[in-house]
Amino acid sequence: METIKLNKLKPGDQGKIVNIALKGASGRRLMDFGFIPGSEFTVVRNAPLIDPVELEIRDNNVSIRHDEAKYIEVVVDE
Amino acid sequence: MSEINVAVAGQPNSGKSTMFNLLTGARQFIANYPGVTVEKKTGVLKIDEDKCNLVDLPGTYSLSSYSLEETVARDYLLSGQADLVLNIVDASNLERSLNLTLQLLEIGLPVIVVLNMMDVAAKREMKINSEKLSEKLNSPVVKAVAKKGKGKAEIKDMISEVYYNQEKYRRNIAEIIKYSPEMEANIEKISNFFAEKKFEDYKARWLAVRLLSGDEHVQNLVKEVS
């Protein structure tokens, strides 16, 4: 299946995390919030120009920066 | 009369401080750790004849050493000063919270899991099987609502119970948290190496796991010694 970067998604899109290409503190913190390969999510909001992207993931609403979202590879449900 | 040192640990907004205030009443004071700006609070709780010193650690999502809060919390837990850990968990955010619980267990101290905000969890129609959770974690689990003062007596009883029966609650951590066979093979190799080196308070398995997760603090520690 084709993977896409998380920052490209639109509100309402649902999918699964495939890979997080972020190391160090940001990568660790994302994992703490449930960004783990296999985690399902729904995009709640995505600000078109500036931050953030808000997701519902593992019963939590988490807002992240575009700068972080672009390192997260996902597959989108059809 | 014994002195029991209890570390109160949990994620931000899990109700740690509310629980801390409920347990210690108005008798707490604020202390500064030398060299860092993050505060830890200590307070006293009387349990029968015993004096229980509670240390309210800063809230952290995990125990890596990327932020000051994490470093303070983890250094205290590794210092050997605490007899046991009171892990305050937001029951309505259970899955996310258990991440820290596992890391606390991995340090090797006895852990009492306090499922706080049970009222919020109930409102969200979540059903939590605390007996099963206790069995899986091999640790006591207590339900509480700190805001409404619920759970204080149960927590006090459990602190005594764990303190006086530490052998029962100090189990082989590898039995609780088992990684994939490849990971376990690597952990074993590295732990054996550490076990020979004698890293004082640091447990060999903990060091191996942290090293494999790319923990800089542990990497530096290893460099210093070797």
Side-chain angles (χ1 to χ4, degrees):
Chain A
M1 237 186 298
E2 204 185 335
T3 62
I4 180 170
K5 303 288 190 289
L6 183 57
N7 60 327
K8 303 284 183 208
L9 302 189
K10 289 182 191 66
D13 285 349
Q14 296 188 329
K16 244 185 215 162
I17 307 277
V18 174
N19 184 36
I20 298 148
L22 259 178
K23 289 206 176 353
S26 325
R28 173 76 243 176
R29 180 55 52 86
L30 286 172
M31 286 203 291
D32 292 341
F33 283 122
F35 287 79
I36 299 163
S39 288
E40 291 179 11
F41 64 86
T42 306
V43 179
V44 181
R45 280 181 285 197
N46 188 353
L49 296 172
I50 45 165
D51 297 323
V53 188
E54 186 181 344
L55 303 173
E56 196 191 317
I57 183 163
R58 294 188 180 249
D59 297 327
N60 275 294
N61 280 48
V62 183
S63 286
I64 59 172
R65 301 183 184 97
H66 278 130
D67 210 25
E68 290 153 351
K70 71 182 181 196
Y71 292 105
I72 302 171
E73 293 160 30
V74 302
V75 287
V76 179
D77 301 343
E78 290 308 317
Chain B
M1 191 189 117
S2 351
E3 272 199 39
I4 311 175
N5 292 308
V6 177
V8 183
Q11 297 195 335
N13 294 319
S14 59
K16 259 183 327 306
S17 297
T18 313
M19 184 58 79
F20 177 84
N21 288 338
L22 171 69
L23 292 171
T24 60
R27 283 171 292 170
Q28 87 266 24
F29 59 96
I30 303 216
N32 262 324
Y33 259 108
V36 293
T37 52
V38 183
E39 290 161 339
K40 62 154 188 164
K41 276 185 280 179
T42 64
V44 176
L45 165 72
K46 291 283 264 181
I47 305 177
D48 302 325
E49 288 299 297
D50 297 328
K51 187 183 164 204
C52 184
N53 299 313
L54 268 79
V55 177
D56 189 13
L57 296 174
T60 58
Y61 289 107
S62 64
L63 286 178
S64 40
S65 48
Y66 287 117
S67 71
L68 210 52
E69 287 87 352
E70 289 179 348
T71 309
V72 167
R74 147 177 168 162
D75 284 354
Y76 181 78
L77 292 166
L78 291 171
S79 71
Q81 291 174 59
D83 295 307
L84 57 99
V85 181
L86 202 59
N87 175 210
I88 313 297
V89 163
D90 174 358
S92 67
N93 258 319
L94 191 59
E95 189 176 357
R96 190 192 73 191
S97 306
L98 289 175
N99 173 35
L100 178 71
T101 305
L102 291 179
Q103 293 185 41
L104 290 168
L105 284 168
E106 228 158 23
I107 284 183
L109 287 166
V111 175
I112 300 172
V113 177
V114 178
L115 291 176
N116 194 23
M117 309 200 205
M118 281 305 292
D119 55 336
V120 182
K123 210 179 277 170
R124 292 192 193 167
E125 293 177 356
M126 292 170 67
K127 283 200 183 109
I128 300 173
N129 185 341
S130 58
E131 287 84 20
K132 187 87 183 173
L133 184 66
S134 171
E135 190 190 308
K136 286 268 181 200
L137 298 175
N138 212 341
S139 303
V141 175
V142 181
K143 291 179 179 176
V145 186
K147 216 169 130 188
K148 292 176 186 156
K150 282 185 195 158
K152 185 176 176 178
E154 289 86 345
I155 291 169
K156 282 170 82 170
D157 289 348
M158 202 46 94
I159 292 174
S160 287
E161 160 69 17
V162 173
Y163 182 75
Y164 288 107
N165 301 287
Q166 286 187 38
E167 284 315 302
K168 194 172 140 194
Y169 294 98
R170 223 185 263 271
R171 291 280 170 82
N172 182 4
I173 214 66
E175 286 169 14
I176 303 173
I177 305 159
K178 213 163 183 58
Y179 295 95
S180 66
E182 297 117 303
M183 274 288 281
E184 284 294 339
N186 287 328
I187 291 169
E188 202 192 320
K189 256 188 244 163
I190 302 171
S191 330
N192 288 343
F193 169 78
F194 283 134
E196 288 166 16
K197 291 259 176 187
K198 292 268 182 294
F199 275 81
E200 293 178 4
D201 292 334
Y202 295 94
K203 296 219 167 38
R205 185 182 165 88
W206 185 82
L207 284 169
V209 170
R210 299 312 303 187
L211 197 64
L212 283 167
S213 71
D215 190 307
E216 283 175 22
H217 176 84
V218 173
Q219 283 172 5
N220 290 335
L221 195 85
V222 173
K223 272 187 212 145
E224 273 169 36
V225 174
S226 53

